[in-house]
Amino acid sequence: MNQIADIFKLAREAQQQQVDAVLATVVRTEGSAYRRAGAMMLICEDGRSVGMISGGCLEPHIIKRAFWLTRNGANVQVYQTGDDIEYAENGNVRASVSEDDFDFDKGSDIKGIDNKYDEQDVDLDELNFGLGCNGRVHVLFERLATAMPLLNVISQVRQSQQPVTVATLIRSTIHFNNQNNPNSQLQIGLRLNLDNYIKSGKLTAIDANHSDKVISNASSTVIHAVDVLAKYQIFDNSAKYIKVDGEDGTTEWLVQRLEPQIRLLICGAGNDVMPLVTMAKLQDWHVTVVDSRAQYATQQRFPQADRVMVLALDDSDTLLKLSKNAAVALMSHSLSQDRARLGVLLEHANHYKYLGQLGPRYRTERLIEEISTRFTNPASLNLGIKKLHYPIGYKLGGDGPEALALGIMAQVNAVVHNQLPPAENSDTHLSNTNFTTLFSTHIDSIETTATSARAAINLS
């Protein structure tokens, strides 16, 4: 399952086939929740669906009710996952909120779904599922026509590799009586580009025309809210729920930092790379496989990879371009390839997010010593050596390429997301630090010897 890519694919198909759909997005969580804010699920009116917003417990209910909930536009529903619930006589969960104004003759709009609701299917603001997780999940429902601008922005971020900060209005206590009221801009699902506002001072809404629409007559309420939102710093593909109090009322927002995909560059195209490519694509990473051997670097061998190419050992410019902001795994089983790639990457330690070398420790340290002899200032490699993980991956147990791939994925995830490694797996990086210290001492000794030799020559 590649959820974002699958949602893009199904959304495009739905548009081409003129099939309506609903996008369900987690906009806030309280307590324990399986998915974080920003998780999405797409439901088509013909019954197709992709994505997950929970561990599978909310999805059947949401699929059944998505079109009914959006019959009058976008709205937010709250689902409780605690254990303090009531049951009807038939054993079904009983809704714990008002059932006023619900038409029980109305049903699901999804084709093939029974159009008669059970007792718990009231049009409610909050429903307790009694899952024992003791959490609350706030979900925004919107039709595809309204949600497509967000999907387009995510697609643009993935293509341009430039992050974007988006604020989505999820609730408002501000009421207005006519469309001419400036506050009529405060529709649930309104999305604003915060980066544009911070850079230019222009308030822009993300609209259906694949562009940012400047809001020229924004109300003071909207401007105040955006001023408050712009002060928050959101990092690393994270999301934050923010409540803004104003003179006219309160607005609630989901602020998301939409980041590009994690990029994985694998230098080496042996058979043991195949499960790593598969696991990375399951995580929705962008994967490039390179090798100097044309018989290995073929798309037929790695059909899931986004890019497979033959890369000459002396093509440092392309290597640096591919490794920019990427996680790099060196696993070619070739001394000449590893020496060439590692030499370039150690010298440009600030270029990538992660660097791992396959093979036993003594092999990598031998490569580092060989590489250092080519530099007039070997100490310039120190930062790269500190950043290098070798042997690559966590020692999680197991044997074979799949176990190796799992350890690599775990380590890259931890490094990219700034998570501390498990204590039993931290010896690798500590040993690397020790080697860096010894390496620096060795370099200092070489430089001292060279200085003494030059002094002796001058005296003679």
Side-chain angles (χ1 to χ4, degrees):
M1 180 183 293
N2 186 333
Q3 294 189 9
I4 296 297
D6 289 342
I7 287 173
F8 286 154
K9 181 175 182 290
L10 184 56
R12 287 192 295 267
E13 290 178 357
Q15 285 187 317
Q16 292 170 357
Q17 299 164 3
Q18 296 184 339
V19 173
D20 201 4
V22 172
L23 183 70
T25 305
V26 176
V27 293
R28 184 187 178 191
T29 60
E30 301 173 81
S32 177
Y34 187 83
R35 298 298 307 273
R36 297 184 299 177
M40 296 185 296
M41 178 180 184
L42 187 67
I43 305 109
C44 290
E45 65 178 348
D46 59 8
R48 290 176 294 172
S49 66
V50 293
M52 295 176 65
I53 61 171
S54 74
C57 41
L58 301 181
E59 281 74 6
H61 172 84
I62 285 171
I63 290 173
K64 186 176 182 181
R65 291 176 52 80
F67 284 85
W68 170 255
L69 290 171
T70 54
R71 65 196 184 280
N72 295 321
N75 74 86
V76 174
Q77 296 284 302
V78 183
Y79 300 94
Q80 292 194 56
T81 58
D83 51 12
D84 183 17
I85 62 175
E86 297 180 6
Y87 293 91
E89 291 182 0
N90 61 3
N92 288 331
V93 175
R94 185 190 299 277
S96 58
V97 297
S98 173
E99 301 178 7
D100 295 341
D101 302 324
F102 181 76
D103 185 353
F104 282 90
D105 292 328
K106 298 271 187 177
S108 172
D109 292 333
I110 299 180
K111 297 174 182 177
I113 301 294
D114 188 357
N115 68 347
K116 195 74 173 177
Y117 279 111
D118 295 327
E119 183 177 1
Q120 73 270 31
D121 286 323
V122 295
D123 189 15
L124 42 80
D125 294 320
E126 195 163 320
L127 184 67
N128 196 327
F129 278 75
L131 303 175
C133 300
N134 296 321
R136 300 173 80 197
V137 182
H138 301 241
V139 181
L140 169 65
F141 293 87
E142 52 190 331
R143 293 293 173 100
L144 183 58
T146 305
M148 204 63 207
L150 174 64
L151 297 180
N152 289 331
V153 170
I154 296 174
S155 179
Q156 290 171 7
V157 167
R158 293 157 75 96
Q159 294 175 10
S160 67
Q161 291 293 295
Q162 297 299 317
V164 174
T165 307
V166 176
T168 303
L169 180 66
I170 58 177
R171 277 194 192 85
S172 174
T173 62
I174 301 169
H175 300 284
F176 43 87
N177 299 320
N178 58 73
Q179 294 183 350
N180 295 324
N181 190 315
N183 285 335
S184 63
Q185 299 159 347
L186 292 175
Q187 300 287 347
I188 301 303
L190 168 70
R191 290 189 171 91
L192 304 175
N193 187 323
L194 290 185
D195 291 334
N196 282 355
Y197 184 75
I198 293 171
K199 293 176 182 177
S200 66
K202 295 181 179 179
L203 187 60
T204 54
I206 299 171
D207 66 11
N209 296 320
H210 308 269
S211 61
D212 291 336
K213 179 181 179 181
V214 177
I215 302 177
S216 57
N217 60 337
S219 69
S220 58
T221 303
V222 176
I223 294 175
H224 169 69
V226 175
D227 282 335
V228 173
L229 297 175
K231 294 178 182 178
Y232 286 86
Q233 291 185 327
I234 312 294
F235 300 102
D236 298 331
N237 211 27
S238 60
K240 188 176 184 66
Y241 163 79
I242 300 174
K243 184 176 181 180
V244 180
D245 294 319
E247 294 181 358
D248 299 328
T250 300
T251 54
E252 299 177 39
W253 303 79
L254 171 68
V255 179
Q256 294 173 273
R257 183 67 172 174
L258 303 176
E259 294 281 348
Q261 292 169 280
I262 294 177
R263 302 181 76 84
L264 176 63
L265 172 63
I266 306 173
C267 297
N271 291 347
D272 57 347
V273 169
M274 294 176 181
L276 180 57
V277 172
T278 299
M279 290 185 188
K281 292 309 298 179
L282 285 172
Q283 289 274 300
D284 191 35
W285 293 5
H286 183 282
V287 180
T288 300
V289 179
V290 301
D291 201 300
S292 64
R293 300 162 293 191
Q295 68 271 28
Y296 289 119
T298 66
Q299 194 72 53
Q300 289 76 13
R301 283 173 51 79
F302 302 95
Q304 292 178 295
D306 296 277
R307 188 177 185 185
V308 182
M309 62 181 295
V310 178
L311 184 64
L313 298 184
D314 59 355
D315 191 351
S316 300
D317 291 339
T318 301
L319 178 63
L320 289 174
K321 181 179 179 181
L322 294 173
S323 62
K324 185 176 181 181
N325 295 323
V328 185
L330 302 178
M331 42 195 311
S332 70
H333 299 278
S334 164
L335 279 172
S336 59
Q337 286 208 64
D338 288 349
R339 187 183 299 110
R341 314 293 192 207
L342 188 59
V344 174
L345 294 169
L346 288 180
E347 191 181 8
H348 298 83
N350 292 322
H351 199 70
Y352 43 83
K353 294 182 177 180
Y354 168 94
L355 179 61
Q357 173 67 63
L358 180 67
R361 179 172 300 280
Y362 69 84
R363 177 183 184 273
T364 301
E365 293 178 354
R366 170 187 162 192
L367 283 171
I368 293 172
E369 290 185 357
E370 291 175 356
I371 291 167
S372 68
T373 61
R374 307 202 311 257
F375 289 82
T376 55
N377 180 21
S380 63
L381 304 178
N382 283 351
L383 182 58
I385 296 171
K386 289 180 180 179
K387 202 169 181 177
L388 176 64
H389 296 265
Y390 65 94
I392 190 172
Y394 288 152
K395 300 176 182 177
L396 302 177
D399 185 33
E402 292 79 11
L404 172 64
L406 183 61
I408 294 172
M409 290 295 298
Q411 189 174 64
V412 174
N413 262 303
V415 171
V416 170
H417 294 108
N418 299 313
Q419 299 295 310
L420 294 176
E424 60 269 23
N425 292 312
S426 60
D427 59 323
T428 297
H429 197 65
L430 290 175
S431 298
N432 293 359
T433 303
N434 293 336
F435 176 76
T436 303
T437 303
L438 293 173
F439 180 74
S440 299
T441 302
H442 176 62
I443 295 302
D444 291 342
S445 176
I446 293 175
E447 292 177 345
T448 300
T449 302
T451 301
S452 300
R454 286 194 295 269
I457 293 173
N458 291 334
L459 288 174
S460 62

